[in-house]
Amino acid sequence: DHYMNFGLIKKKEISTVIAKPHNLPVWVEQASITSNSNLVNTIKMGDPIDLEIIFRADKPITKPSVGYIISSTRGERILNANNIYQGSIEYAEPVTCGKIICQLGIVPLMPDRYFVSIWMGEENA
């Protein structure tokens, strides 16, 4: 804890805006964590967790694919999922942007810091 807090600037942002990566046709533009319909940067034990992802695509797509990994500060993978393997809504008409909400429910995480890694693509690509 002391090492993790040393020189750490406490961020007030509760949403991350991401610049378009080079050469990727589909990407995450913004990612947020919500709990009980509120944007948060801290989750209390027993609270539900949702990941809200705003995506963009160079060309219209109908079936965006998103995956995420929650890891400990030591790099241990705690939880991962991908909507390729789970039921997911498909857009009726092709879109170049949209919002995906991954409802994780109550995740039994112990008090600590965690990292969320997000992958974005198109299922048919």
Side-chain angles (χ1 to χ4, degrees):
D1 260 357
H2 178 72
Y3 173 78
M4 291 302 294
N5 285 316
F6 183 74
L8 183 68
I9 298 171
K10 299 292 183 186
K11 292 184 177 183
K12 294 190 186 247
E13 297 92 9
I14 53 179
S15 184
T16 300
V17 177
I18 303 159
K20 181 187 185 300
H22 298 288
N23 303 323
L24 290 180
V26 182
W27 67 96
V28 174
E29 183 176 72
Q30 184 172 347
S32 307
I33 297 175
T34 63
S35 183
N36 297 314
S37 301
N38 297 308
L39 287 169
V40 295
N41 59 4
T42 302
I43 302 291
K44 295 179 186 171
M45 287 182 68
D47 283 350
I49 301 171
D50 294 339
L51 299 177
E52 291 190 6
I53 298 161
I54 296 174
F55 71 90
R56 295 249 179 225
D58 286 336
K59 296 179 183 176
I61 61 174
T62 57
K63 206 161 187 181
S65 176
V66 65
Y68 60 86
I69 299 171
I70 297 177
S71 302
S72 71
T73 55
R74 294 174 298 282
E76 302 159 329
R77 291 182 177 188
I78 308 296
L79 173 71
N80 70 313
N82 189 315
N83 69 336
I84 289 176
Y85 307 113
Q86 301 166 339
S88 182
I89 296 174
E90 185 173 338
Y91 286 94
E93 297 293 324
V95 297
T96 57
C97 64
K99 181 187 223 180
I100 297 173
I101 300 174
C102 303
Q103 297 175 320
L104 304 167
I106 298 171
V107 180
L109 297 174
M110 298 303 293
D112 202 349
R113 288 192 180 91
Y114 296 90
F115 296 100
V116 179
S117 302
I118 300 171
W119 173 89
M120 187 79 213
E122 181 182 8
E123 187 172 325
N124 299 329

